[in-house]
Amino acid sequence: MLNKEAINFVGLCAGALTTFSFLPQLVATFRSKSAKGLSYGYLLTFAGGVVLWISYGVLLKAPPVILTNGVTLGLLVVIVGLKVRYER
Amino acid sequence: MLNKEAINFVGLCAGALTTFSFLPQLVATFRSKSAKGLSYGYLLTFAGGVVLWISYGVLLKAPPVILTNGVTLGLLVVIVGLKVRYER
């Protein structure tokens, strides 16, 4: 079995990839000055899930889960902010 | 502190929401018979991250992480399959 540091490293790589794969969405929203393809229903469902993942990470004391979902939540807040601004 | 069952329940709810929020993407791909908005770069980066999350879940013995990322990986395989088929 791997030690805790190695396990956390795997988790951090996992979170880096899944969070990184979300970035083009943010770039596309910026460039097109539109977030019409992203419904509030989708964004809020996803944000709710991310908040629960952070809670799960805290309960399980799993730093990679907390850290990478924290970054994803930050990106989501930016996208929702842009959407509110562009659609006003 | 919550017991293990309660922690797993929080993780399952988290995974249900983040995986569920991914479903509209699959429905949109089916309906439009197109996955042009989803690049292979994005899909493979995301799939790589999901595979690492499953590894992390196995190493940490965290069933919700394994289960929900397993479902996400299944959805991703379907989307990639549809993309290959539609763009041939």
Side-chain angles (χ1 to χ4, degrees):
Chain A
M1 215 48 183
L2 296 174
N3 63 29
K4 208 170 177 93
E5 281 70 34
I7 294 176
N8 281 342
F9 182 71
V10 172
L12 280 178
C13 291
L17 287 181
T18 50
T19 299
F20 181 75
S21 75
F22 188 65
L23 268 183
Q25 198 75 77
L26 183 62
V27 173
T29 302
F30 250 120
R31 282 208 185 142
S32 65
K33 296 205 179 303
S34 165
K36 277 182 188 155
L38 304 165
S39 69
Y40 281 112
Y42 160 73
L43 289 169
L44 292 181
T45 305
F46 193 52
V50 169
V51 167
L52 280 178
W53 274 125
I54 294 173
S55 316
Y56 177 72
V58 170
L59 291 168
L60 211 68
K61 299 192 183 72
V65 176
I66 303 167
L67 200 68
T68 62
N69 281 289
V71 173
T72 302
L73 188 62
L75 295 178
L76 270 171
V77 167
V78 173
I79 286 184
V80 170
L82 288 175
K83 186 173 168 69
V84 169
R85 193 168 142 195
Y86 294 151
E87 292 175 12
R88 191 164 59 174
Chain B
M1 213 49 181
L2 296 175
N3 63 28
K4 209 172 177 90
E5 281 70 34
I7 294 177
N8 281 343
F9 182 72
V10 172
L12 280 178
C13 291
L17 287 181
T18 51
T19 298
F20 181 77
S21 75
F22 188 64
L23 269 183
Q25 198 75 77
L26 184 62
V27 173
T29 303
F30 251 120
R31 283 210 184 141
S32 64
K33 295 205 179 306
S34 165
K36 276 182 189 154
L38 303 165
S39 70
Y40 280 113
Y42 160 73
L43 290 169
L44 292 181
T45 304
F46 192 52
V50 170
V51 168
L52 281 178
W53 274 124
I54 294 173
S55 315
Y56 177 73
V58 170
L59 290 167
L60 211 67
K61 299 191 183 75
V65 176
I66 303 168
L67 200 70
T68 61
N69 281 287
V71 173
T72 303
L73 188 62
L75 295 177
L76 270 170
V77 167
V78 173
I79 286 184
V80 170
L82 288 175
K83 185 172 169 70
V84 168
R85 193 169 143 193
Y86 293 151
E87 291 174 13
R88 190 164 58 173

